[in-house]
Amino acid sequence: MATSVPKTMKGVIIEKNGGTEVLQYKTDLPVPEPKEGQVLVKNDFIGINYIDTYFRTGLYPAPSWPYILGREAEGTVVKSGGGDTHGLKDGDHVVILAEGTYAEYTAAPAAKAAKIPDGLEPKIAAGALLQGLTALTMIRESYHVQKGDWILVHAAAGGTGLWLVQLLKAVGARTIGTASTQEKVDLAKKAGAEVVINYSHEDVKAKVMELTGGAGVAAVFDGVGKTTFDLSLDVLARKGSMVSFGNASGAPAPLEVKVLTAKNIKLSRPTLFNAIFTREEYEGYTKELFDFILKDKLDTRIHEVYPLSEVARAHNDLEGRKTTGKLLLDPSK
């Protein structure tokens, strides 16, 4: 199969930071050569995530220029770089967490390539992986959610938000979501949130305190950042856990650590990649996520599959809060 791999490919690079105008769609990028411990994957579907916009804007620094964006994809192994490839072989259908997935081909660490189980339809693995694992690892590690816990999820109809809501329902939590439109409120409720607050005209703090009898929530999962951070601290219960995992509205202001003392608050800023650093962690959590999807019939909501050539439109839609669920790219278009 390796002989059928072309020399060049379509892909998206950036050579400087900025808005969507810095996204360059190319048709003549070199196909990467897998190194020892890597496999070359021909991507079928590519996941878009907010972290991609952070690298584009410069909130997170790109390791080198030019830089191919992207963190996840599903596709087929077409070549091995040798070494320990964890039993993967040409023809295996896999889902990968790797840099440089906004392209037709990605050289991925075999340690971060997992076989897609039978029964999982095309698009589901790429649609579920990064956001699903983010949600799953947070409810297991950032705050180990218990049955009956009141939990607040901001942007509950967004990509990671919908995963949090579904998984929290599956483990028996009582979830309060926030959303900005009636459509998003309905989506979050359908996904399993017990109550969804429309923050465009409702008082989030007052509603949360009313629902929890004045006690506050056991944990807040906050991927919004700047505009919700202080509110999140306010609605936590004593010994509550503040899990700040994203900056959709910008990075929160610097924090005076002493503000945590009033309620013995625990603050964490998790990243998925530290939660699945080892092969065992990645395999274990990926298997658990796919089991939830298949057994609990979790919905991998695909907002739209965009042609790779229209990546700028996809980023604009994501940042403009025009989306609900997962955005994917099709590298064949």
Side-chain angles (χ1 to χ4, degrees):
M1 268 185 102
T3 54
S4 66
V5 177
K7 297 290 186 186
T8 60
M9 66 179 183
K10 301 172 209 167
V12 174
I13 64 168
I14 58 170
E15 295 180 295
K16 61 182 178 181
N17 295 124
T20 55
E21 74 281 353
V22 303
L23 295 165
Q24 300 180 54
Y25 174 70
K26 302 282 190 181
T27 58
D28 59 352
L29 296 176
V31 172
E33 188 67 29
K35 298 174 183 174
E36 187 170 319
Q38 292 185 329
V39 288
L40 184 66
V41 176
K42 186 178 191 300
N43 297 324
D44 294 325
F45 297 100
I46 301 156
I48 298 177
N49 297 281
Y50 239 102
I51 193 173
D52 303 341
T53 72
Y54 299 163
F55 278 100
R56 194 202 73 224
T57 61
L59 181 63
Y60 292 175
S64 60
W65 305 105
Y67 186 61
I68 299 177
L69 295 172
R71 281 293 187 278
E72 70 183 330
E74 70 175 80
T76 305
V77 176
V78 293
K79 191 175 182 181
S80 168
D84 185 2
T85 55
H86 300 280
L88 296 173
K89 59 187 185 301
D90 289 5
D92 282 344
H93 195 206
V94 296
V95 61
I96 58 172
L97 280 182
E99 291 189 52
T101 58
Y102 279 25
E104 286 184 284
Y105 293 86
T106 301
K112 293 294 187 288
K115 290 183 184 179
I116 298 173
D118 294 338
L120 219 56
E121 298 293 323
K123 298 196 286 286
I124 298 301
L129 189 69
L130 201 145
Q131 290 170 337
L133 287 179
T134 296
L136 180 57
T137 55
M138 287 194 298
I139 72 167
R140 294 297 194 219
E141 296 186 12
S142 301
Y143 172 70
H144 196 141
V145 176
Q146 305 296 318
K147 185 176 182 179
D149 280 343
W150 278 106
I151 306 291
L152 177 64
V153 177
H154 286 300
T160 305
L162 286 171
W163 280 107
L164 280 164
V165 168
Q166 291 186 91
L167 288 165
L168 287 166
K169 183 181 182 184
V171 299
R174 305 187 71 181
T175 304
I176 305 167
T178 68
S180 59
T181 68
Q182 189 58 47
E183 179 196 7
K184 291 182 178 183
V185 167
D186 293 343
L187 266 175
K189 281 184 178 176
K190 184 181 177 185
E194 190 167 328
V195 179
V196 184
I197 303 167
N198 188 330
Y199 64 79
S200 67
H201 64 266
E202 291 185 271
D203 185 327
V204 176
K205 182 178 178 181
K207 188 69 174 175
V208 169
M209 289 308 183
E210 176 191 331
L211 288 164
T212 60
V217 292
V220 179
F221 293 98
D222 187 344
V224 176
K226 185 176 181 178
T227 61
T228 53
F229 191 87
D230 290 342
L231 167 67
S232 296
L233 294 177
D234 284 347
V235 299
L236 279 171
R238 185 177 62 87
K239 299 184 180 180
S241 293
M242 167 64 177
V243 184
S244 175
F245 69 93
N247 307 301
S249 67
L255 176 77
E256 287 276 355
V257 176
K258 65 185 179 184
V259 306
L260 305 176
T261 62
K263 293 187 282 189
N264 283 18
I265 289 171
K266 292 180 280 293
L267 170 64
S268 62
R269 180 57 171 92
T271 65
L272 172 61
F273 298 98
N274 281 328
I276 53 166
F277 186 79
T278 68
R279 173 67 179 179
E280 292 71 28
E281 288 169 332
Y282 178 66
E283 264 192 322
Y285 275 124
T286 301
K287 182 182 184 304
E288 187 180 9
L289 175 63
F290 291 155
D291 284 347
F292 268 119
I293 293 170
L294 291 168
K295 292 176 184 173
D296 290 271
K297 296 183 170 45
L298 302 191
D299 179 26
T300 304
R301 182 182 173 85
I302 308 297
H303 173 76
E304 184 175 341
V305 180
Y306 299 76
L308 183 61
S309 57
E310 295 181 26
V311 63
R313 178 169 69 87
H315 273 223
N316 280 326
D317 287 353
L318 182 65
E319 293 176 293
R321 302 198 182 185
K322 298 176 182 176
T323 68
T324 51
K326 185 69 178 183
L327 285 66
L328 297 177
L329 295 167
D330 180 347
S332 71
K333 299 177 181 177

